[in-house]
Amino acid sequence: DGEEMEGRVASIVQKIARKSDWMAFLALSYYTDPFMTTIYLRKGIEKYDGFSQRDWVIFWGSVLVTNLWWTLVVSGAIEIIRSVLHWFGRN
């Protein structure tokens, strides 16, 4: 079931995120978007007075990590499809 799998993944991400800020950064960058990663890692979340320099570093770092991750995923998928098409072309 899709919801059950999503719940398991969310649970794993939560466990990883509790380990350290770096682990949380990587896990959340993989699982969510850069804005949610930044909000989760903000200091002083109870009062909003704009993003601090640290918040911007987290945000743009997460943008970079997220885009690198999706570039790898999409590139891998394209290579798999190309290999399958090439294999079918040979037979």
Side-chain angles (χ1 to χ4, degrees):
D1 183 48
E3 285 184 28
E4 184 178 325
M5 183 61 155
E6 187 174 323
R8 286 183 186 165
V9 171
S11 175
I12 292 168
V13 169
Q14 287 175 352
K15 287 178 186 175
I16 292 170
R18 289 187 193 118
K19 300 278 184 197
S20 70
D21 279 354
W22 274 106
M23 294 298 286
F25 172 78
L26 293 174
L28 291 166
S29 291
Y30 164 78
Y31 187 69
T32 67
D33 60 83
F35 179 75
M36 293 305 294
T37 301
T38 305
I39 296 302
Y40 183 85
L41 292 171
R42 281 190 89 221
K43 304 293 183 199
I45 193 142
E46 64 280 346
K47 73 171 191 166
Y48 180 74
D49 55 357
F51 273 15
S52 67
Q53 183 175 354
R54 178 182 183 273
D55 296 337
W56 282 112
V57 169
I58 291 169
F59 177 79
W60 288 112
S62 185
V63 167
L64 179 67
V65 168
T66 301
N67 284 312
L68 286 172
W69 168 249
W70 279 109
T71 298
L72 291 173
V73 169
V74 171
S75 297
I78 290 170
E79 286 303 313
I80 289 170
I81 291 168
R82 287 178 65 194
S83 295
V84 168
L85 291 175
H86 181 72
W87 183 75
F88 278 124
R90 288 185 154 205
N91 292 333

